[in-house]
Amino acid sequence: MAHSHDGHGRSGIAIIGCGRISRSHLAAVAAQPDLATLVATVDSDLTLATQAAQRYGARHAFDDIDEALSRDDIDAVVLCLPNHLHASVAIKAAQAGKHVLVEKPMADTAADAIAMAEAAEANRIVLAIAQCRRHFRAIRYLADHQADFGKLISVQVSLGVYWPDAQAPWWREADKASGLVVALNGPHVLDFVQMVMQADPVRVHAEAVRRNHFWAGEDEAMMLLAYPGRRLASVHLSFNQQPVENRKVLVYERGTAVVEHDTHLTFNGETLVARSDDEHRHYLDEAVEFQRQFREFALAIDGQPNRSVSAQEGIRLMRTLDAVHRSFRSGDTVVLDDVTHRTDTVDATP
Ligand SMILES: NC(=O)c1ccc[n+]([C@@H]2O[C@H](COP(=O)([O-])OP(=O)(O)OC[C@H]3O[C@@H](n4cnc5c(N)ncnc54)[C@H](O)[C@@H]3O)[C@@H](O)[C@H]2O)c1
């Protein structure tokens, strides 16, 4: 196990994949020298790795992942690779004794996610999932205080963005971005639903279509999910929506919570968390939430209590995503559990 740190409790970090999302992770590490040292950047395009190393002060830039994984001064890696590489590289990193923070989606399938968790456990490393939206102030507040609102009855989530073309080459290929909008934005919204429901769905129905010729995957999706305790969720995902919409409406026994853009939370119209100045950045541009996310990962590495999204939570999310894929590909409703949520009595008090 590479638990050496640098003698001052700081982990040596390699950022693997230096594309769009990497800047927020690079900045998160560089901004917190008390937690970690940025040792290396890695990209199969060495120019990208070198530019990132220069900008964020990494000592080394590599075009080969194995070169970073073989180093003793690297304790942990942040995987910012295309989705289809998450599982194989995370497993390799675990086998090399490196802790792993992997971008969402954790993997392409729940089976791959389970293999990743097994590799992490066998090699006794931390495997955490970068669900960055958990680290927004409004989302953390909701997670910590929703019990005050009474029982949760239903959740509606809309995440609609407008992409005039594929933002990375691998988006174009169905086998590298299966279900496209479902693979890319599904983890954000379904992780939120999992967080507030504190349960897994018993039934899932999803429809997804492709309107655009830029890619092979789907760019518009709707899903309905039934949860234990007669609770319901609906999700709309779009790559065709302008202006952008990012809205969550949560109906509780005592009223309705609304989250706009993951940054502004109201309950029955009263503002509980307002968007703060440091949250005005675009999420691809050195977003401040990534600093909080990285701090939680560092705490996890140190064995301290933390808010990292665990591999077990990641596996649960991948099971839901698998069900969504199965549903929109078959046209069928997927039943995940025999529990009949309509008649169970979890919240049967009048
Ligand atoms: N949290 C968020 O809000 C958010 C936003 C965007 C992307 N993401 C996730 O981050 C991941 C990366 O997405 P992106 O948009 O940055 O993609 P990207 O294509 O811009 O970056 C990926 C980088 O990986 C490099 N790469 C590919 N294969 C490699 C290999 N074998 N070895 C080394 N480097 C390799 C590519 O050259 C590229 O620079 C995806 O999983 C995506 O879902 C998350």
Side-chain angles (χ1 to χ4, degrees):
M1 231 192 336
H3 259 320
S4 58
H5 302 320
D6 63 353
H8 303 282
R10 291 181 295 240
S11 298
I13 306 292
I15 303 285
I16 303 187
C18 298
R20 295 165 69 242
I21 200 60
S22 67
R23 285 182 61 185
S24 285
H25 289 285
L26 286 155
V29 179
Q32 302 185 97
D34 57 319
L35 296 180
T37 307
L38 185 60
V39 174
T41 54
V42 186
D43 200 293
S44 46
D45 179 342
L46 188 58
T47 308
L48 286 180
T50 305
Q51 283 168 352
Q54 283 166 355
R55 181 166 177 160
Y56 295 97
R59 279 178 237 146
H60 308 280
F62 302 121
D63 61 3
D64 178 7
I65 295 171
D66 291 336
E67 213 163 331
L69 295 184
S70 66
R71 293 185 68 93
D72 288 340
D73 56 354
I74 293 174
D75 304 292
V77 296
V78 182
L79 301 187
C80 305
L81 293 163
N83 298 355
H84 67 286
L85 297 175
H86 291 186
S88 57
V89 177
I91 289 169
K92 234 184 186 193
Q95 288 166 348
K98 313 301 182 197
H99 304 289
V100 177
L101 175 63
V102 59
E103 259 301 341
K104 44 55 56 181
M106 180 178 181
D108 282 340
T109 63
D112 282 354
I114 290 166
M116 292 160 78
E118 285 172 355
E121 202 176 318
N123 294 284
R124 298 206 286 156
I125 55 96
V126 171
L127 171 60
I129 322 305
Q131 294 290 161
C132 62
R133 293 176 196 229
R134 290 256 192 141
H135 305 283
F136 281 76
R137 288 167 56 249
I139 303 298
R140 281 193 177 180
Y141 185 98
L142 186 65
D144 294 344
H145 296 276
Q146 68 164 350
D148 300 344
F149 307 155
K151 282 181 185 147
L152 180 60
I153 296 167
S154 69
V155 186
Q156 296 171 59
V157 185
S158 295
L159 181 55
V161 296
Y162 180 69
W163 293 123
D165 200 349
Q167 300 299 297
W170 53 275
W171 282 27
R172 297 204 176 87
E173 296 163 60
D175 59 334
K176 293 186 176 162
S178 173
L180 194 65
V181 72
V182 175
L184 292 178
N185 282 349
H188 287 306
V189 292
L190 289 169
D191 177 67
F192 175 81
V193 176
Q194 179 170 304
M195 181 191 87
V196 292
M197 287 289 185
Q198 298 175 1
D200 298 319
V202 293
R203 207 158 17 243
V204 173
H205 189 90
E207 298 286 342
V209 293
R210 180 173 71 92
R211 301 188 54 82
N212 239 307
H213 61 272
F214 302 131
W215 36 59
E218 288 75 5
D219 48 51
E220 194 72 32
M222 294 261 191
M223 45 200 93
L224 274 178
L225 304 101
Y227 284 82
R230 294 177 290 141
R231 297 176 300 161
L232 300 174
S234 73
V235 170
H236 172 225
L237 297 174
S238 179
F239 274 1
N240 304 297
Q241 188 170 355
Q242 45 181 335
V244 166
E245 182 180 27
N246 177 358
R247 187 173 161 85
K248 301 170 170 72
V249 179
L250 301 104
V251 178
Y252 292 93
E253 280 174 325
R254 299 199 186 108
T256 301
V258 178
V259 188
E260 295 280 2
H261 297 284
D262 295 311
T263 50
H264 193 103
L265 168 67
T266 60
F267 186 66
N268 290 340
E270 183 196 341
T271 297
L272 297 181
V273 180
R275 188 176 189 179
S276 63
D277 285 345
D278 64 356
E279 290 177 325
H280 279 275
R281 284 177 194 267
H282 189 270
Y283 71 99
L284 294 178
D285 186 19
E286 305 188 345
V288 69
E289 298 74 28
F290 283 66
Q291 288 186 28
R292 297 186 203 126
Q293 173 171 267
F294 185 75
R295 179 164 288 273
E296 300 303 323
F297 179 53
L299 288 171
I301 290 173
D302 257 6
Q304 296 183 47
N306 65 86
R307 302 181 74 123
S308 285
V309 176
S310 69
Q312 290 312 314
E313 280 183 280
I315 290 169
R316 288 172 50 208
L317 181 63
M318 288 310 308
R319 286 200 175 110
T320 302
L321 279 162
D322 275 5
V324 167
H325 276 95
R326 278 211 303 284
S327 179
F328 77 73
R329 297 216 190 289
S330 66
D332 295 334
T333 298
V334 173
V335 179
L336 290 161
D337 201 317
D338 286 329
V339 174
T340 48
H341 78 289
R342 284 166 203 276
T343 55
D344 72 26
T345 53
V346 172
D347 59 349
T349 37

